Amino acid sequence: MIEKEFNNLTTKPEVQIFMKQFKRSDRLDHVWMSVLRNSDFSKVLIAVIQKVLIISHGNAFVERGFSMNKEIIVDNQLTRSLIAQRQVYNGVQALGGLKNVEITKKSILKMRNAGSLYSQALDNQKKDDEKSKKAWREKDCTNM
């Protein structure tokens, strides 16, 4: 089903024209997401293409990280969460493994404070969302 849907996508003339304009300096993930955004295809196809784009392009560092990414990817996981988990993993590996991670009083205090920082970040995000919605409503009302 996905293969058929992908074949239908790639045989569309507008997609073929779009792909011919692709330059090696362009980001491949941005190109594919633009194509999919402008087409009517299932979320499953989009998810498959996103996961395929995670695959390495011959870079040994990325290849080593791919198996770790596979283990930590969750269906509803935010990109920020995946990046944060990967940064922690890379930091631990840079120190030579868990046995070499020094747990200081400062790090313990940071971890204790992480919950309140997270709540504060969520509150800030809600405020920003409300501001943007309000600005959008005001802009929408002035256009009437």
Side-chain angles (χ1 to χ4, degrees):
M1 179 177 131
I2 297 298
E3 185 177 355
K4 184 177 180 181
E5 196 170 357
F6 181 79
N7 288 336
N8 289 340
L9 172 68
T10 56
T11 56
K12 285 188 168 188
E14 62 267 13
V15 172
Q16 290 179 353
I17 291 169
F18 193 78
M19 288 303 189
K20 286 179 183 176
Q21 296 171 352
F22 174 75
K23 297 178 194 99
R24 290 182 69 101
S25 60
D26 295 340
R27 286 189 52 166
L28 189 58
D29 56 342
H30 289 198
V31 172
W32 273 109
M33 288 305 116
S34 296
V35 168
L36 292 170
R37 202 175 303 119
N38 297 326
S39 303
D40 185 31
F41 288 91
S42 70
K43 290 182 181 181
V44 176
L45 176 63
I46 293 171
V48 167
I49 290 176
Q50 286 174 337
K51 288 178 181 166
V52 166
L53 291 172
I54 291 174
I55 295 176
S56 160
H57 297 286
N59 186 334
F61 179 75
V62 176
E63 287 176 6
R64 283 191 301 273
F66 182 66
S67 61
M68 175 50 67
N69 287 346
K70 182 179 174 186
E71 291 176 18
I72 61 177
I73 290 177
V74 178
D75 287 340
N76 294 326
Q77 188 172 28
L78 294 175
T79 303
R80 291 181 301 195
S81 300
L82 178 61
I83 291 169
Q85 283 182 345
R86 190 58 204 212
Q87 287 173 335
V88 170
Y89 176 80
N90 288 341
V92 169
Q93 293 305 312
L95 292 173
L98 282 175
K99 293 181 180 179
N100 297 329
V101 175
E102 184 180 341
I103 300 175
T104 63
K105 186 169 184 162
K106 183 178 178 182
S107 63
I108 292 171
L109 293 174
K110 287 248 185 206
M111 291 304 298
R112 285 184 182 162
N113 196 23
S116 62
L117 290 174
Y118 177 71
S119 296
Q120 187 179 24
L122 285 178
D123 291 340
N124 290 340
Q125 186 176 4
K126 284 181 185 178
K127 289 177 185 176
D128 290 344
D129 290 345
E130 288 173 9
K131 285 180 186 177
S132 64
K133 284 181 185 178
K134 185 178 178 182
W136 181 79
R137 286 186 199 129
E138 289 174 359
K139 182 181 175 185
D140 196 39
C141 290
T142 59
N143 289 339
M144 288 185 163

